[in-house]
Amino acid sequence: MAKYGQFCAVARALEVLGERWTLLIVRELLVGARTFTEIRRGLPRLPRATLSARLRELSKAGLVESTQDGHELTPTGAALAPVIRELARWTTLEHGVPLDSDHLDTNALTWDMQRRVDTDSLPTRTVVLAMDFVDRKPSDKYFWLHLSRSEVNLCREDTGAPVNIWIQAPTEPVTRWWLGELTWLQLRRRQDVSIHGDQRLISQAQRWFMRYLFTPDSLM
C-alpha cells in the first residue's frame, strides 16, 4: 500500500481505502455479496486479478476475513457503512458527480435489480420480466428476471418460459428509474420506452423492486 507519510486520519484511511475499486468491494460486501463471483457480478468491469489483490489488501488491513462461504467484513470493515452512505449522499443530493453515458452498465444494473426484489410483494405464481436495452450490443442487450416468492433468478438467455412483462428501452432511463430519479409511471410514459405485456402485472411491478439502496428519498 502507498504511504502518504502524514499523521492526518484521512491520509491514513486513504492508505487502505484509496486504491481503485477498494471501496466498491466494501460496498458489495455491505449489501450481501459473499463469494468471489458475487462480488464480480456487482462489479462486472473489475478484473479478476485486481479483485484478488484488493481482497488480500483488505484482509491484511483487518477489514475482510475469509469464511466457509467466501468473504465477509470484520467489525472494522462493517463500520465503513456510514462512509459509503455519505459518499452516495454527496453524489446524489449535492450533485457531486452527474450520471453520464460512461456510468451505464446493463450487467451491473440488472444484477442490482435481481438482489433488490421484495419477494413478499410478488404474485403467488412465477413472473418473468424481460428487458431489451435497445441501445446496447447483443452481449449486453437481453436479460430475463424470473421472479417468485421462493427465489429470484437473473438469466442471460431465453429459457423459453412465457414472458409476462417486456421492457424495451435505452439504458439511461431505466437506470434513472432504478436510482430513484424517475417514477415507474414517468418511465412508462417516456416516448423512448415501451413496457408491454400483462397490464395488471405491469401496474404492480413498481412494488416488486426496492430499487437502488441509495435513492434520494432514502438519503434525506
Side-chain angles (χ1 to χ4, degrees):
M1 299 179 188
K3 299 286 186 179
Y4 288 99
Q6 293 192 3
F7 64 83
C8 170
V10 176
R12 286 183 283 138
L14 287 175
E15 288 178 356
V16 176
L17 302 171
E19 290 281 358
R20 180 175 170 83
W21 297 108
T22 298
L23 273 178
L24 291 180
I25 294 169
V26 172
R27 180 204 69 188
E28 287 302 300
L29 293 169
L30 281 169
V31 299
R34 289 292 176 267
T35 67
F36 193 92
T37 299
E38 288 174 342
I39 297 170
R40 289 202 73 234
R41 290 292 296 271
L43 300 169
R45 302 187 189 187
L46 171 59
R48 295 178 64 88
T50 302
L51 175 54
S52 295
R54 295 294 181 270
L55 286 170
R56 287 195 299 270
E57 292 162 3
L58 287 168
S59 178
K60 185 177 180 180
L63 275 66
V64 171
E65 60 186 2
S66 297
T67 68
Q68 290 184 340
D69 298 328
H71 307 276
E72 66 179 28
L73 293 169
T74 65
T76 301
L80 287 167
V83 176
I84 302 294
R85 177 180 172 82
E86 283 306 305
L87 283 171
R89 187 181 187 282
W90 175 76
T91 299
T92 302
L93 300 185
E94 305 301 332
H95 309 292
V97 184
L99 182 74
D100 63 32
S101 59
D102 291 334
H103 300 134
L104 303 177
D105 188 317
T106 56
N107 288 284
L109 171 63
T110 54
W111 177 249
D112 204 37
M113 292 176 68
Q114 180 265 339
R115 65 186 177 187
R116 297 280 296 164
V117 175
D118 180 5
T119 54
D120 291 337
S121 298
L122 292 170
T124 54
R125 63 186 178 92
T126 299
V127 174
V128 178
L129 186 152
M131 287 169 281
D132 173 2
F133 294 100
V134 298
D135 57 334
R136 295 290 155 167
K137 59 186 180 181
S139 60
D140 298 323
K141 184 179 178 66
Y142 299 108
F143 298 82
W144 289 262
L145 276 169
H146 294 247
L147 309 168
S148 74
R149 293 186 178 182
S150 59
E151 62 179 345
V152 175
N153 291 311
L154 175 64
C155 299
R156 296 299 310 274
E157 295 182 1
D158 187 356
T159 64
V163 173
N164 305 103
I165 300 174
W166 267 104
I167 299 177
Q168 294 176 297
T171 310
E172 182 176 349
V174 180
T175 302
R176 291 193 181 279
W177 163 70
W178 188 248
L179 291 172
E181 297 177 14
L182 296 175
T183 66
W184 181 245
L185 183 59
Q186 287 171 332
L187 180 68
R188 292 178 62 184
R189 287 178 172 174
R190 285 182 60 113
Q191 293 186 349
D192 57 351
V193 173
S194 172
I195 302 177
H196 53 275
D198 187 315
Q199 291 300 311
R200 182 176 60 84
L201 291 176
I202 290 172
S203 65
Q204 296 173 5
Q206 61 183 323
R207 300 197 298 269
W208 303 342
F209 296 97
M210 296 179 283
R211 289 200 283 179
Y212 177 56
L213 183 62
F214 301 116
T215 60
D217 288 345
S218 73
L219 295 169
M220 293 294 188

